[in-house]
Amino acid sequence: MKNINKKLQILLLLPLIAMQLNCGSSKNATANSGKVASWITTTDETSKLKKQTDLAFSSETNSNQTIEINPAEKFQTIEGFGFSLTGGSAQAIIKLDKPKREALLQELFSRKNDAIGLSYLRISIGASDLNEKVFSYDDMPEGQTDMNLEHFNLGPDLNDVIPVLKEILAINPKIKIMGSPWSPPVWMKDNGSSKGGSLQPKYYEVYAQYFVKYIQAMKSHGIVIDAITPQNEPLHPGNNPSLLMLAEQQADFIGNHLGPAFAKAKIKTKIIVYDHNCNKPEYPLTILKDPKANPYVTGSAFHLYEGDISALTTVHNAFPDKDLYFTEQYTGTGTNFETDLKWSVKNVVIGSMRNWSKNALSWGLANDENYKPFTPGGCSTCKGALMIDQNQNIKREVGYYIIGHASKFVPEGSVRIASNISGNLYNAAFKTPSGQIVLIVENDGAAPETFNIKYNQQQTTTTLNAGAVATYVW
């Protein structure tokens, strides 16, 4: 009798299950209901990440050039888009009155209303050149060392970077954070200076513990460091602070010291190598070919002040099981909105995505009206995504829109899918975790381009001005 009752219950439930399945499929149909939303930024600045009138898919055909999206062909999973929260950025933001600061951080890091949903931050381990002064987390009087790191502390970061990070994490607890040092403590170096020089091998083990202490100290403040690079721009010892670290030295440091130290301390933070320009793919390849270093390395990071973005694919093809990251590109005072918008969206956002990068980061998030602070000898021409002046006026610079065209629409967990480059229309396409399709397009030509977006045997036609950037969502 009990079995008969169970069968009756199942039979009665079947229509209800079918209704729920149909509801689920209609929900997906709504997400791809034939309407295409779009946001455009133009080089004359009349439209900045501005929502346009919706487009519509149809079965009509024409002879226009066509970008066709193929969601069946999948590439890398995206970890995020964002900036470096430099010490100077944190200083500029923390000086804002609390209501204004809270509103700004919501705009930057939430996914509500008109927010741009930044999902990845890079921070400096110790000072970068966009701090007001040089420091490490274990500075000692000249001639003294601290082999047991008894004097280790987070120093000036406790006043700005850490408080701002805590406010950001309250908005987006899942934001990814990468740490990169510009220099070890001076007493570990062979030239006794914050600028240039090399890490002495006798301090490799101590420096590995320095990273361990850093990750543990940040965790004690509720800040999880998802990844680190052993050195920012290891082939650029002319910055202040900076360090020369050759590929063989980095391989030795990771394979024999940093990797084992992380394993012993049960630290899950990813180790990402290189963190420098696309002109030297042989640098990360040297480390990835090292049998001791390789097991500890998650991937390689790149900048694009020299070289070509295709260097990422060169490394991917040699080591397809290792990830790629794009971690820095600045916009400077010597160029204009049009030039930076076109070049950076084409190369940093679309270029990095089409070459297997899991993220795309621009350089500083914020600075004051004089592009300060920066260290003596640091970058005096680096333009943040935000300029915050002494009267607390906030100007959104070109970097805000470069990254915003991706971060606002492509959340963590999205997957890049196939799309063809058509003429001057550079593009990258994604499928988000909620099932939306996102297409970012930059018209690299000198004239407006009319084109089709084709998806699932239907298409829509639109026009994009010369140099303009658009994000399409359906």
Side-chain angles (χ1 to χ4, degrees):
M1 197 67 183
K2 285 181 180 177
N3 288 337
I4 292 170
N5 285 337
K6 280 185 180 178
K7 286 178 182 177
L8 281 169
Q9 286 174 339
I10 290 167
L11 286 168
L12 289 167
L13 283 169
L14 281 174
L16 184 61
I17 293 166
M19 284 174 64
Q20 287 176 334
L21 288 171
N22 287 332
C23 286
S25 61
S26 67
K27 185 179 178 183
N28 288 334
T30 304
N32 299 321
S33 61
K35 297 291 185 183
V36 181
S38 62
W39 288 257
I40 288 179
T41 300
T42 55
T43 56
D44 64 3
E45 302 186 57
T46 55
S47 180
K48 291 179 173 179
L49 203 52
K50 186 177 179 181
K51 194 173 189 307
Q52 310 295 305
T53 303
D54 285 354
L55 305 169
F57 278 118
S58 75
S59 55
E60 294 178 14
T61 59
N62 57 50
S63 59
N64 296 328
Q65 59 185 325
T66 299
I67 298 171
E68 185 165 0
I69 289 84
N70 177 12
E73 190 176 353
K74 299 175 182 178
F75 300 90
Q76 76 275 25
T77 300
I78 306 307
E79 291 187 8
F81 297 90
F83 297 91
S84 288
L85 181 71
T86 61
S89 298
Q91 278 188 342
I93 291 167
I94 208 164
K95 286 177 182 174
L96 291 169
D97 293 339
K98 190 176 180 183
K100 186 169 276 195
R101 185 172 73 247
E102 287 177 348
L104 176 63
L105 293 178
Q106 284 287 343
E107 176 190 337
L108 293 172
F109 295 99
S110 81
R111 304 205 73 85
K112 300 173 186 174
N113 304 321
D114 289 330
I116 62 169
L118 300 177
S119 49
Y120 206 117
L121 287 173
R122 182 170 175 244
I123 58 177
S124 61
I125 300 175
S128 76
D129 59 311
L130 294 190
N131 277 81
E132 61 183 354
K133 64 178 182 179
V134 175
F135 65 89
S136 79
Y137 298 137
D138 200 332
D139 291 326
M140 297 295 293
E142 188 174 351
Q144 295 185 31
T145 62
D146 182 19
M147 297 298 285
N148 295 320
L149 302 176
E150 292 171 1
H151 298 279
F152 182 97
N153 69 89
L154 295 173
D157 283 351
L158 292 165
N159 302 322
D160 39 54
V161 172
I162 288 169
V164 172
L165 275 177
K166 287 180 177 181
E167 293 187 17
I168 291 167
L169 284 163
I171 298 166
N172 179 5
K174 294 183 178 179
I175 195 164
K176 290 275 198 295
I177 301 170
M178 173 184 283
S180 304
W182 267 238
S183 173
V186 165
W187 54 268
M188 297 185 187
K189 300 173 74 173
D190 61 7
N191 69 343
S193 170
S194 61
K195 181 177 176 179
S198 296
L199 178 66
Q200 296 185 67
K202 67 181 178 180
Y203 294 118
Y204 279 11
E205 192 63 37
V206 183
Y207 197 39
Q209 291 304 317
Y210 181 91
F211 280 89
V212 170
K213 279 187 169 288
Y214 167 70
I215 291 163
Q216 291 172 338
M218 293 297 274
K219 190 175 181 181
S220 74
H221 289 278
I223 300 164
V224 175
I225 304 300
D226 182 71
I228 58 93
T229 64
Q231 175 59 36
N232 169 71
E233 299 191 340
L235 299 178
H236 177 33
N239 202 356
N240 186 27
S242 61
L243 177 81
L244 177 66
M245 182 181 265
L246 303 178
E248 294 79 8
Q249 293 171 323
Q250 193 164 120
D252 180 8
F253 176 60
I254 293 168
N256 296 307
H257 305 279
L258 186 62
F262 276 19
K264 186 176 180 182
K266 295 182 170 54
I267 284 173
K268 303 297 184 186
T269 301
K270 302 180 185 91
I271 297 173
I272 312 295
V273 303
Y274 190 40
D275 208 5
H276 207 171
N277 287 328
C278 287
N279 62 331
K280 299 284 185 184
E282 62 270 22
Y283 188 113
L285 289 172
T286 296
I287 300 170
L288 293 172
K289 288 173 185 174
D290 185 281
K292 283 191 174 180
N294 179 289
Y296 297 113
V297 174
T298 299
S300 310
F302 288 86
H303 307 173
L304 191 54
Y305 302 111
E306 292 183 81
D308 189 272
I309 194 67
S310 61
L312 279 69
T313 291
T314 300
V315 176
H316 170 80
N317 290 343
F319 290 91
D321 61 323
K322 298 295 186 181
D323 294 334
L324 279 303
Y325 295 85
F326 191 92
T327 49
E328 183 189 313
Q329 195 70 29
Y330 96 136
T331 52
T333 58
T335 53
N336 58 33
F337 188 97
E338 176 181 0
T339 303
D340 284 335
L341 180 72
K342 287 179 63 174
W343 189 91
S344 286
V345 173
K346 176 184 174 182
N347 291 284
V348 173
V349 177
I350 293 168
S352 71
M353 292 295 108
R354 293 189 74 94
N355 286 278
W356 297 96
S357 186
K358 295 176 79 74
N359 72 349
L361 308 181
S362 193
W363 184 209
L365 179 58
N367 49 246
D368 70 14
E369 64 268 44
N370 300 308
Y371 305 103
K372 290 181 176 178
F374 49 84
T375 62
C379 182
S380 61
T381 59
C382 289
K383 184 191 294 181
L386 306 169
M387 179 190 287
I388 303 174
D389 70 20
Q390 60 185 345
N391 297 318
Q392 303 201 8
N393 297 308
I394 302 168
K395 181 185 178 186
R396 288 147 189 84
E397 301 278 12
V398 65
Y400 177 96
Y401 302 101
I402 291 165
I403 295 298
H405 263 281
S407 61
K408 183 176 176 68
F409 310 101
V410 186
E412 179 192 357
S414 300
V415 176
R416 187 173 79 82
I417 54 177
S419 62
N420 60 299
I421 300 286
S422 180
N424 294 312
L425 300 170
Y426 288 85
N427 65 83
F430 308 86
K431 186 172 185 178
T432 72
S434 66
Q436 286 188 315
I437 304 298
V438 179
L439 176 68
I440 303 169
V441 183
E442 182 261 337
N443 177 3
D444 208 48
E449 300 265 2
T450 298
F451 61 99
N452 302 322
I453 299 170
K454 187 175 181 180
Y455 175 77
N456 199 20
Q457 304 307 310
Q458 294 208 318
Q459 65 186 35
T460 187
T461 304
T462 188
T463 299
L464 193 58
N465 287 342
V469 175
T471 303
Y472 304 93
V473 183
W474 65 93

